Amino acid sequence: MILVTGATGTIGSKVLDILTVRGQRVRAVTRDPEKISTRSGVEVVRADFDEPASLRQAVATVRTMFLLTAPASPTTRHDLAIIDAARSAGVRKVVKLSAIGTGEKIGADVVGASHLAAERAVRDSGMAWTILRPSSFASNALRWVEAADQGRPVLDLTGPGRHGVVDPHDVAAVAVEALLSSTHIGRIYTLTGPELLTMTEQVTCLSRAVGRRIDTVAVSPERAADEMLAAGMDRSAVDMIITGAAWVRAGHNAILTDDVAAVLGRPPTSFQSWVMRHRRALGAS
C-alpha cells in the first residue's frame, strides 16, 4: 500500500493518477474526500495533519509514503506529525516533496527554512528516503491568466532572475519512480525543465499561446508584501515568498539539472510544450 498525501493538489493528484495507471494499490489522504473521484485501486481516507488519530489511521498497513504538506503558514508541524505516525506504523520509505534552493541563504534569511527542517526530519526518521526539490512550476501560469481575466497585470517579483521552469507532471513522474524503485533511496533530486526563463519571458510565451496580451508589472518586495498582507495572507507566509523571490531575483535559481532525464529516461518538458498542452485551460482563443 502506497500512501499519497496532498492527493488533491497539483503534484499529489498527478502522483495518484500515475500510480493507479500503473496498477498500484494507493491510499489517498485528504481533508475533503469528496474532491477525489472514485476509481479502482484507490482507497480514500479522510485525515488532517492536526488530528493525530486520523494520521495513525491513514498510515496503518502502509509501507511507502509520498509526503507533501502545504500549510497556509510555513511550519514543520504537519511533516513531523505524519513522520512520527509513519515511523510508529512501520512505514519503510518516504518520498518528500521539498523545493529548490532549500537551505540556501539570501542575506540573513534562509530559503525554505520550513522545508529544510522537514527534510532533516525525513532523513533522521530511520526510513529510507528520497527528497525532491522542484523549481518553479509551469502551472503557475494558470494564476497569471486568472489575474489577466480580472484586468490585472501579473506581478513580477523576480525581475531578471531566471527559473528552470518544470512541468508538474514531470515532478509527479519522478516521485512515482522514487516510490516504486529502491534505486533512488538516499538521493536529493533538483528537478528543472530544459531552459532558463525570466517571468516576463514566461508570460510572453503564454500570451502568444492564448492569443491575447497579458501584461506584467515589476513590483518592489515592500509593495508585494503589503498587497499580500492586505489580501489576508499570514505574515510568515509572506516573508517566505519575499525571501524566495529575492533569492531568484539575485540569480540563484538559474539552475538546470539532468535529474528529470536521469530518472525518467527522457528529456524534461519545456514550458512552451506545457503551455500548448494546456491551451484550453489557459483560455486560448
Side-chain angles (χ1 to χ4, degrees):
M1 177 70 73
I2 299 173
L3 183 74
V4 176
T5 66
T8 60
T10 299
I11 303 299
S13 62
K14 291 176 173 59
V15 170
L16 190 65
D17 290 342
I18 298 170
L19 285 170
T20 53
V21 166
R22 294 179 64 166
Q24 300 296 315
R25 291 178 60 230
V26 185
R27 181 176 296 158
V29 174
T30 176
R31 285 177 296 182
D32 189 355
E34 293 183 358
K35 290 185 177 180
I36 299 179
S37 59
T38 303
R39 68 187 88 177
S40 176
V42 177
E43 175 189 352
V44 180
V45 173
R46 185 201 170 277
D48 191 306
F49 289 113
D50 291 318
E51 298 174 6
S54 72
L55 295 181
R56 289 192 293 272
Q57 177 186 5
V59 298
T61 73
V62 167
R63 291 297 173 264
T64 303
M65 176 173 68
F66 176 67
L67 175 55
L68 186 166
T69 61
S73 302
T75 179
T76 59
R77 188 176 71 254
H78 293 174
D79 291 89
L80 296 178
I82 196 164
I83 289 169
D84 183 63
R87 183 172 50 227
S88 298
V91 175
R92 297 170 184 162
K93 181 164 69 173
V94 56
V95 176
K96 162 67 178 169
L97 187 74
S98 186
I100 197 167
T102 291
E104 296 195 15
K105 297 190 74 174
I106 181 77
D109 299 316
V110 177
V111 177
S114 59
H115 280 304
L116 180 62
E119 285 186 10
R120 287 172 175 162
V122 166
R123 295 174 71 173
D124 293 341
S125 68
M127 295 182 281
W129 56 267
T130 305
I131 292 170
L132 310 180
R133 292 177 173 177
S135 188
S136 305
F137 291 151
S139 54
N140 290 343
L142 294 167
R143 296 202 299 267
W144 305 338
V145 170
E146 181 182 359
D149 288 343
Q150 296 171 359
R152 298 183 285 110
V154 177
L155 302 183
D156 183 357
L157 260 171
T158 55
R162 295 186 176 275
H163 311 248
V165 186
V166 66
D167 183 340
H169 187 274
D170 287 353
V171 176
V174 170
V176 168
E177 295 302 322
L179 289 166
L180 299 181
S181 171
S182 61
T183 304
H184 312 289
I185 290 174
R187 300 293 299 274
I188 299 176
Y189 290 122
T190 298
L191 307 179
T192 74
E195 59 192 338
L196 295 172
L197 298 169
T198 65
M199 187 169 174
T200 297
E201 289 169 342
Q202 293 173 64
V203 173
T204 298
C205 176
L206 176 62
S207 296
R208 287 196 301 264
V210 301
R212 61 193 176 100
R213 178 173 174 173
I214 301 177
D215 294 319
T216 61
V217 59
V219 293
S220 68
E222 293 77 18
R223 177 189 161 191
D226 288 344
E227 291 195 12
M228 287 185 280
L229 290 169
M233 288 185 65
D234 182 85
R235 165 60 75 176
S236 60
V238 171
D239 290 344
M240 178 186 70
I241 292 170
I242 295 300
T243 297
W247 182 77
V248 175
R249 194 167 54 250
H252 300 305
N253 196 32
I255 299 167
L256 296 179
T257 76
D258 63 357
D259 286 353
V260 169
V263 174
L264 301 182
R266 62 163 175 81
T269 307
S270 70
F271 178 69
Q272 182 174 359
S273 295
W274 182 91
V275 169
M276 297 307 293
R277 199 170 75 241
H278 293 83
R279 288 180 76 247
R280 181 172 296 181
L282 292 165
S285 57

